[in-house]
Amino acid sequence: MAEALNCDNTCGSCNKDCASRDLRASLHKGSSVKKVIGVMSGKGGVGKSFVTCLLACSMNRKGKRVAILDADITGPSIPEAFGLSETRVSGDENAIEPVTTDGGIQLMSMDFLLENNTDPVIWRGPGIAGAVKQFWTDVIWHDVDYLFVDMPPGTGDVPLTVFQSLPVDGIIVVSSPQQLVRVIVEKAVKMANMMSVPIIGLVENMSYVQCPSCGEVINVYGKSNIEAVAKNYHLPVLAKIPIEEKSSAAIDLGTVEELDVDYVDAVVEKLLHL
């Protein structure tokens, strides 16, 4: 146990078998979270945060109490999507209150702690991982049915911390159609399998463009590879999200809650039956 307490989450040179050890952190005594869903990708720029927002908003419209833990400490984008980048959290040394959107979604992000949201967070891995853990232990999450964890790209410190420290019920892996992304997605899938974290399914973002005039589907990034990855790992493809101007505009304007689309309905139905 002493070894676990002294863990700094830098596992590259560690020879301990953490898979057999419970390293999960405790929620704040005032918190209640029923399900934790991770959203990850092996590569940046595939729209993982956008998918997280869609899932949270769709689940919220189902009448569930929803929260987002923005674990992308150095590149947070969740506050901007909800038009709350200038908002700051309240709290003291004992607890932090999450920011709540107009629709009632609870949010916690590093942006809410910075003096200016353009200030960079220049931290090494252990500091970043520690902040993610504190977002779980020090924030009072109020009666949350589904907490979505928006993870940074890759398979480094933060995904490792989330998988080890939080009671993750499953993850959604986000990709885009390019061949390069297929290789990176497989890395994320393999990491989850190695950590014994259930993979709920795959979501392909920027999958296609549909002509507004004739309805023709255009594969901007070429033929999708997502079905091949899914078949290799016996995973379902839960959604293919198109490139649309209204979606990009909603993120840029901070009005993602007003974006009522059905792209992730199948994902939400799957989550409701976990």
Side-chain angles (χ1 to χ4, degrees):
M1 179 61 72
E3 290 174 349
L5 292 174
N6 292 328
C7 178
D8 62 2
N9 294 292
T10 53
C11 299
S13 60
C14 179
N15 60 2
K16 303 300 180 183
D17 180 18
C18 292
S20 63
R21 194 184 296 156
D22 189 355
L23 301 176
R24 285 180 294 181
S26 299
L27 267 175
H28 189 280
K29 62 182 180 181
S31 293
S32 173
V33 176
K34 293 178 182 176
K35 297 287 184 182
V36 177
I37 308 299
V39 183
M40 74 177 298
S41 65
K43 182 182 182 298
V46 299
K48 170 185 47 57
S49 296
F50 173 57
V51 172
T52 302
C53 291
L54 288 183
L55 289 170
C57 293
S58 181
M59 187 67 78
N60 190 47
R61 285 192 288 270
K62 293 283 187 181
K64 300 298 182 182
R65 294 182 65 89
V66 180
I68 299 177
L69 188 161
D70 188 354
D72 196 345
I73 302 300
T74 61
S77 55
I78 295 298
E80 192 80 25
F82 286 91
L84 295 169
S85 59
E86 301 299 325
T87 306
R88 297 297 173 263
V89 294
S90 60
D92 53 32
E93 66 276 8
N94 298 314
I96 300 171
E97 285 288 335
V99 171
T100 303
T101 70
D102 290 340
I105 298 173
Q106 300 170 51
L107 308 177
M108 185 60 207
S109 174
M110 179 57 70
D111 259 8
F112 298 144
L113 299 172
L114 300 176
E115 185 174 350
N116 300 295
N117 65 333
T118 56
D119 292 342
V121 177
I122 308 174
W123 293 353
R124 295 190 185 277
I128 294 171
V132 171
K133 189 182 291 187
Q134 282 188 284
F135 285 176
W136 174 255
T137 61
D138 295 2
V139 174
I140 300 180
W141 300 105
H142 299 279
D143 300 319
V144 173
D145 295 313
Y146 290 87
L147 182 142
F148 293 95
V149 182
D150 182 25
M151 289 188 274
T155 55
D157 286 332
V158 170
L160 184 62
T161 297
V162 171
F163 290 164
Q164 289 184 332
S165 302
L166 277 59
V168 180
D169 293 281
I171 65 165
I172 304 294
V173 179
V174 182
S175 74
S176 60
Q178 300 97 318
Q179 176 66 27
L180 172 62
V181 174
R182 171 181 175 174
V183 177
I184 304 300
V185 166
E186 291 197 49
K187 291 180 184 290
V189 169
K190 287 181 179 180
M191 179 186 185
N193 287 336
M194 290 171 67
M195 301 295 295
S196 300
V197 176
I199 302 172
I200 298 166
L202 308 180
V203 170
E204 184 175 77
N205 190 36
M206 300 183 286
S207 186
Y208 59 90
V209 172
Q210 187 166 22
C211 176
S213 299
C214 67
E216 179 187 0
V217 172
I218 304 168
N219 297 314
V220 177
Y221 293 113
K223 186 178 179 181
S224 172
N225 293 294
I226 193 72
E227 300 292 349
V229 176
K231 183 177 180 180
N232 284 346
Y233 293 95
H234 308 289
L235 296 171
V237 178
L238 298 175
K240 290 186 176 182
I241 303 173
I243 301 172
E244 283 190 325
E245 183 181 1
K246 67 178 181 181
S247 298
S248 298
I251 294 293
D252 291 342
L253 295 172
T255 58
V256 72
E257 280 185 295
E258 299 174 17
L259 184 64
D260 190 1
V261 292
D262 61 2
Y263 303 139
V264 296
D265 283 0
V267 189
V268 169
E269 286 303 316
K270 186 101 172 177
L271 296 177
L272 288 171
H273 292 91
L274 279 183

